[in-house]
Structure formats: structure tokens, C-alpha cells
Amino acid sequence: MSGRRLLMWDEAVTEYDFGAGHPMDPVRLALTMGLVRAFGLDREIDVRAARAAGDSTLRLVHREDYVAAVRAVSADPDAADGSYGLGTPDDPAFAGMHEASALIAGQSVAGAEAVWRGEAEHAVNFAGGLHHAMPGGAAGFCIYNDASIAIARLLELGAERVAYVDVDVHHGDGVQAAFWDDPRVLTVSLHEHPRTLFPQTGWPEETGGPAAEGSAVNVALPAGTGDEGWLRAFHATVPELLADFRPQVLVTQHGADTHFEDPLAHLAVSLDAQRAVQEACHALAHEYADGRWLALGGGGYAVVDVVPRSWTHLVAIAAHRPVDPGSMVPASWRDEAYARTRQLAPARMTDGRTPEWRDWEAGYDPADRLDQAVLATRRAVFPLRGMLV
């Protein structure tokens, strides 16, 4: 296994732009890369640009007619009429949509290939993690599902067990759908409960298709869940599942929209807890997947206060050069953020929290809503996998 670590980056991914006023502002990508550079992490990790995914790669997951539809509205955005989810308020058509979306997918695929072939130990694509796109349609700000495409490419290369762990505030529905009936892929999603958040899926009873029962895992967290509950839920499910599944590659999605400042959801997680889960995923990749780790971005709509800091921590952890949470945010980057957005940037790489959680093995409270959510998942999935609840 190579000791190299990769950051997949091409400035052109910022052309994935739904327009003024849309929550998925590409400035969050530019500011993240700016903060990575401000901390000198681009000298600690190999920064690589990959080619856009070609049609044959996109069709590992997406239907041919859908790819053709994306191409058509990409060339003529005015022709978008809502078909295939294109030209909707969530997914407005824009010129170059196909090219930008395929470029993001290409970064994730290239990172997966490098990790599988032993050319790199870890790879990060924080522009990726577009987990809502379905085989035949766009959804939830996502055109091509780069996470699913990267996993499908790993399977094509011979992988027999790929684990996907999604900690975005929204359910990883597109990835679950792509591998619903494939026992080679374990999908685990921790997200806000579908009663209170898009896409209204991800119930604990969603456990996989007839040929893959127990391969889909959903932890539906009550609105308002904070650091302790979020970390408790993660550690009460993910490590045991990975120990049982023994993945050859770990793919993780790190949407930053679980944060208490995110405008589109209702969890109350801090940057410090997000960093703790990033560190846990890194450790789990080394423990169970021989270090093979592809880490992706995802949602996150506090584009100055949260996203750049969270994903800079992710890059630093993958580079084996973690940034001390107490570090000051470089003044040069704060100036850049203000110049681009007219928003004042945070001063430190922390929210000032010290995340702690109660271990599940110490017992649970059947009257506690968070514990009820965890127990519902364990009862739904663990017996299907021959695991103790």
C-alpha cells in the first residue's frame, strides 16, 4: 500500500453553479481550497486533477437516456422543463451542467481507482458526495451521483466488499438506491429523521433488497440532536457494522450540513464533532480496510462559517497532518472570504467544544429519543447480519 495521499481538485469544479441565490454556492469549494492552501496542506498531500467521467463510466450508475437529457439541457438550459428533475427549483439547468457534473464524478472515480490500485492510501474529493442523484434523475442539488459511480467503478475493478458511510444531515438515498440489492456494498446513513427533512426516506426499516437484506443501514436522528447524541449514534452502529462486513475499501461522505449554523436542516452538531467523526472514519479505514479510504464532501450551506473549516480538517486528517482545532484561521484567508462574500469568517478552527458521548455498551435509556433511534436501527439490521442487537 502506497503511503501517498491524494486531494482531487480542479478549479473547474466551481463551475457546478445553479446560479445566484441557490444554497449550493460554489464559493464553498473555492474557499475550502483556499483554506487548505492557507494552512500549507497542499504541500502535505498530492493535489491531482482527473479527467471528467466519460459516458461509459457515468452509465455504471445512470441510465443512458438521463445522461442524454443532462447533455441536452447543458447545451440549452432554456429547454429544461422539469423532466428528469432538471430545471426544477432544486436543480435549475445551467450551461455546462453536464461538463461540471461529470468533472466532479471524474475526481471521485480517479480517487477510488488510485486507492484500489494501491497508488494512494487515501483520496479526498470534497467537491463530491452528490448523493441524491438517482439512476434516472436529478434530485436535491445533485446531477450525477459521484459516490455511487466511484463505488460501481470499484466493483468493476474487482472489489467484493465496499462500505459507504454517509454522515450528511440528509439521507444518502441515491447511493442506497444504486446498491439496494447488491450485497457487495454496505450503505450506512446517519441523518435527520425523514419526518422532518428531505428526502423523507432513510427509515430504519429500509434494510436492503431481497438479495441483500441487511446491506442498507439507516439511523434516523431526532431533530435537534447535538454532539453527544450524534457521536453516540455513530459509535453505536458504524464500528460494529464495519467489523462484521470487513470492507476492502471505505467510502465516506462528510456533508457539513449537520452543523448548528446550517440553514437547511435541524441538527445541532459542532465543527468539533464533525472533526471527531472524520478522525473516526480515518481510523476505521486503517482498522478494517487496510487504509483504503475515499472521503467525499456533500451538503453544507453555511458556506463561510462551516464548510471550509470542516473540509479543511478532513483534508488534513487524510494527509496525516491534522490541524489543531485551536489554531487561528489565517488572516489572509479571512480577508479572501470577506472579499468574496462580504461575510466575516471565524477566527479559529474550532467551535470551542470538546465532544464526548456515552458508549452504547454501557447501556441505553429506552425513554430517550436518541437511544430509541439507535435501537430501532440495531433491531432492524443487526439480526439480518447475524449480529447481536
Side-chain angles (χ1 to χ4, degrees):
M1 176 65 66
S2 169
R4 294 179 64 200
R5 293 110 197 178
L6 299 179
L7 172 58
M8 309 306 302
W9 174 253
D10 186 318
E11 297 285 346
V13 298
T14 60
E15 295 171 15
Y16 188 85
D17 186 354
F18 290 113
H22 193 281
M24 185 77 106
D25 189 336
V27 75
R28 68 199 193 119
L29 304 178
L31 289 177
T32 299
M33 193 61 197
L35 191 54
V36 165
R37 289 174 175 140
F39 274 105
L41 294 170
D42 55 328
R43 299 189 296 273
E44 305 291 345
I45 194 169
D46 289 344
V47 180
R48 177 188 296 182
R51 293 180 299 178
D55 281 12
S56 62
T57 300
L58 296 173
R59 289 201 300 267
L60 291 173
V61 168
H62 294 291
R63 295 199 323 244
E64 185 173 1
D65 60 315
Y66 174 58
V67 175
V70 175
R71 282 187 175 278
V73 302
S74 182
D76 182 11
D78 292 336
D81 61 3
S83 301
Y84 296 97
L86 302 169
T88 64
D90 271 6
D91 297 283
F94 60 90
M97 170 183 275
H98 167 79
E99 291 76 13
S101 304
L103 183 63
I104 290 172
Q107 309 312 304
S108 294
V109 169
E113 290 174 341
V115 167
W116 178 253
R117 291 169 174 159
E119 298 166 8
E121 186 177 37
H122 312 323
V124 179
N125 176 24
F126 58 73
L130 304 179
H131 61 168
H132 294 308
M134 293 291 177
F141 314 161
C142 304
I143 306 302
Y144 293 140
N145 196 317
D146 64 287
S148 293
I149 296 166
I151 293 169
R153 177 60 175 148
L154 288 167
L155 299 178
E156 187 178 54
L157 291 172
E160 297 175 345
R161 295 182 310 282
V162 180
Y164 172 76
V165 176
D166 187 321
V167 296
D168 193 289
V169 78
H170 301 93
H171 177 225
D173 57 340
V175 184
Q176 175 178 287
F179 304 104
W180 180 250
D181 211 28
D182 192 335
R184 297 174 296 174
V185 181
L186 174 70
T187 63
V188 185
S189 179
L190 288 84
H191 47 266
E192 185 179 329
H193 201 285
R195 276 195 297 261
T196 54
L197 194 66
F198 174 91
Q200 282 78 52
T201 58
W203 298 80
E205 295 79 15
E206 297 171 31
T207 57
E213 291 185 345
S215 68
V217 184
N218 290 287
V219 187
L221 301 169
T225 296
D227 288 0
E228 180 182 358
W230 194 63
L231 292 169
R232 176 168 166 79
F234 179 92
H235 287 283
T237 52
V238 176
E240 286 182 69
L241 288 162
L242 295 185
D244 171 72
F245 188 65
R246 308 298 297 189
Q248 294 163 299
V249 185
L250 177 62
V251 180
T252 57
Q253 197 268 22
H254 297 271
D257 42 9
T258 52
H259 195 272
F260 56 77
E261 289 188 9
D262 196 90
L264 298 189
H266 317 98
L267 295 192
V269 174
S270 72
L271 180 76
D272 303 284
Q274 292 178 345
R275 182 179 183 276
V277 160
Q278 294 165 4
E279 288 186 319
C281 288
H282 178 220
L284 289 166
H286 280 288
E287 186 169 359
Y288 296 119
D290 198 25
R292 296 186 187 94
W293 182 33
L294 173 64
L296 307 172
Y301 309 101
V303 299
V304 175
D305 285 354
V306 179
V307 175
R309 291 188 298 159
S310 185
W311 292 347
T312 296
H313 276 305
L314 179 64
V315 172
I317 289 164
H320 289 196
R321 293 292 187 272
V323 172
D324 185 336
S327 299
M328 297 295 295
V329 174
S332 60
W333 182 83
R334 297 179 70 205
D335 291 343
E336 175 192 355
Y338 185 78
R340 283 178 174 265
T341 67
R342 290 298 184 262
Q343 295 182 42
L344 294 175
R348 293 186 180 273
M349 293 294 287
T350 178
D351 287 334
R353 309 286 179 86
T354 305
E356 297 179 346
W357 70 94
R358 292 178 297 117
D359 192 276
W360 187 258
E361 293 183 359
Y364 61 87
D365 179 357
D368 181 83
R369 292 174 65 220
L370 186 282
D371 284 6
Q372 289 171 0
V374 172
L375 193 58
T377 299
R378 292 176 65 102
R379 284 174 171 165
V381 175
F382 280 32
L384 296 175
R385 303 199 61 84
M387 299 166 62
L388 296 175
V389 175

